Amino acid sequence: MPLPVLAMMLCTFCVGTAESVIAGILPNIAGHLGVSLSAVGMLISVYALVVVIAGPCLTALTARLPRAVLLPGMMGVFILGNVIAALAPGFGWLVAGRIVSALAHSTLIAVFVASARDMAPPHQRAAAGAKVTLGIGLATVVGVPAGTLVGDNWGWRATFWALAVLSLLSTLLLVRHNVPEPAPDDNPGVRPQTMDSRRGFTLPVPMILVALVIVLGTGGVFALYTYASPYLTHAAGFESSTVTVLLWLYGLGGIAGNLLGARAADRHLPTAVLTTLGAAAAALLLLVLLVDNSWAVAALFCVLGAAYFATIPALNSQIVASAGPTSAAMALTVNNSAFCVGIALGSWLGGAILARGHSVLLVPAGGAALAAGGLLLSAVTSWLLRTKPARDEPRIPAAA
């Protein structure tokens, strides 16, 4: 792995860990600051809301900055947010720290993935981007459990300090092995004004459709993932101590799926998208039908993780391919926002099913319906993309 890509993967690992680790240290924060668990849960919602709303705006505003300035600068903002959280004298300051960290989230990941794709030959772009997003899978398997362990033993502030230090070290590696700037577009038919950062505000219909596919597919998986513990203990009959092992299986499957999905996307993108979404929908449905078979449930959790994380590089590539005149960085920022909306939608759906007194077994069924909707919409989107004239993948402006 090239050192610039390794540095970007480590930075993505830090960003992915920071996004999700709150769930593991939530009781510690509530007890220490004297606030309710539901109030601390807002730290997750506020973070996601800032990513969705602020991400595209910041990507557009920073579009002309060189990567050598933009990436370390955004990592500096992210580190500052974690330091504010670690020093927070009260809950309000902790919320402020999370907001500051979230400001950098979408732009960082979008430009990291776009940069890795720019460094690779055309037939390996999905695989290059997947090396960066592998950091998110590692955050699920390693970062969040490690952050929770640090918080349990040394307090929740230590978790944020550890994130700040690791992020600083990753940023220093990033600066030491600087990410190359994108090569000038050699196509003489492209006029200079097409590289204007204002094109980042263009939202072509195919790109919007791909974003909706991401929302539905992610929502389907997270309907179950959010309520995995009650499903596994109440419906599938596992002991509470086994839940962590099964979630690890999900994460390990995700790491493998991320790499396999990237290779499939580089070979035949439409097939990769449809296959990965179909596998996720099928796994969710089988988790309803085979709930009485503990071995099948364990295997399906691993398959579900592999299928979901395989959709990430495939949909990354598809949203860039559908972006038209929109910059790749902006397309990937919209992509990140869509994933966050999907997570929120899935959590809401699972909670709504349980709040109405339905069996927890209905949660994966509802998730399967959402994922199936994403699969159908993806088939329509793939058809629309095939009917459009072929064009080169849009390049991000020289600044982003």
Side-chain angles (χ1 to χ4, degrees):
M1 182 184 298
L3 286 174
V5 176
L6 174 63
M8 292 188 289
M9 187 198 74
L10 291 174
C11 290
T12 302
F13 169 79
C14 295
V15 173
T17 300
E19 179 183 20
S20 304
V21 76
I22 286 292
I25 58 176
L26 190 146
N28 293 335
I29 295 174
H32 186 263
L33 296 181
V35 295
S36 66
L37 288 174
S38 59
V40 180
M42 287 176 54
L43 295 173
I44 300 174
S45 303
V46 168
Y47 190 101
L49 188 63
V50 173
V51 169
V52 171
I53 296 175
C57 299
L58 278 175
T59 300
L61 290 172
T62 58
R64 291 183 178 273
L65 290 176
R67 288 172 179 168
V69 174
L70 174 63
L71 294 177
M74 281 293 177
M75 282 301 297
V77 172
F78 175 73
I79 292 168
L80 175 63
N82 284 289
V83 171
I84 293 173
L87 295 173
F91 184 67
W93 278 100
L94 182 55
V95 173
R98 291 289 287 173
I99 290 174
V100 172
S101 295
L103 286 173
H105 181 110
S106 268
T107 301
L108 276 172
I109 294 181
V111 179
F112 283 152
V113 173
S115 300
R117 291 171 64 89
D118 278 353
M119 293 167 62
H123 63 284
Q124 294 179 357
R125 283 178 178 164
K131 290 175 182 177
V132 172
T133 57
L134 179 61
I136 297 175
L138 291 173
T140 302
V141 177
V142 179
V144 173
T148 303
L149 183 64
V150 170
D152 288 341
N153 286 278
W154 294 285
W156 60 270
R157 294 182 190 276
T159 299
F160 287 109
W161 281 121
L163 274 170
V165 171
L166 184 59
S167 299
L168 177 60
L169 294 175
S170 300
T171 304
L172 292 175
L173 182 64
L174 185 69
V175 173
R176 175 67 180 81
H177 302 284
N178 206 20
V179 177
E181 301 297 327
D185 198 327
D186 295 326
N187 186 350
V190 178
R191 295 174 297 176
Q193 56 264 39
T194 62
M195 297 301 291
D196 194 298
S197 62
R198 288 176 296 176
R199 70 182 187 148
F201 289 99
T202 305
L203 294 176
V205 171
M207 190 174 84
I208 295 173
L209 291 177
V210 176
L212 289 174
V213 170
I214 294 169
V215 170
L216 292 173
T218 303
V221 173
F222 272 82
L224 174 62
Y225 185 79
T226 306
Y227 297 94
S229 183
Y231 165 82
L232 291 170
T233 54
H234 298 161
F238 287 96
E239 298 292 332
S240 299
S241 58
T242 312
V243 172
T244 302
V245 176
L246 293 172
L247 291 178
W248 272 66
L249 281 177
Y250 173 92
L252 291 172
I255 292 174
N258 185 70
L259 300 174
L260 293 174
R263 292 179 182 177
D266 279 328
R267 288 187 175 91
H268 196 273
L269 180 57
T271 301
V273 172
L274 294 173
T275 301
T276 54
L277 285 171
L284 287 165
L285 182 60
L286 289 173
L287 282 166
V288 178
L289 300 176
L290 302 178
V291 67
D292 294 327
N293 188 324
S294 58
W295 288 105
V297 169
L300 286 168
F301 248 73
C302 187
V303 170
L304 181 63
Y308 171 66
F309 277 89
T311 67
I312 294 176
L315 290 169
N316 282 351
S317 293
Q318 190 170 57
I319 203 166
V320 171
S322 68
T326 305
S327 72
M330 179 58 71
L332 290 166
T333 302
V334 171
N335 174 74
N336 289 331
S337 296
F339 274 109
C340 287
V341 173
I343 291 170
L345 173 63
S347 300
W348 171 83
L349 176 64
I353 290 172
L354 297 178
R356 284 166 174 74
H358 297 297
S359 165
V360 70
L361 200 56
L362 209 58
V363 172
L370 268 186
L375 178 63
L376 291 175
L377 182 58
S378 179
V380 173
T381 305
S382 296
W383 177 80
L384 286 175
L385 291 174
R386 282 199 303 270
T387 60
K388 285 185 171 292
R391 61 180 299 155
D392 290 337
E393 177 182 302
R395 286 186 176 273
I396 61 176

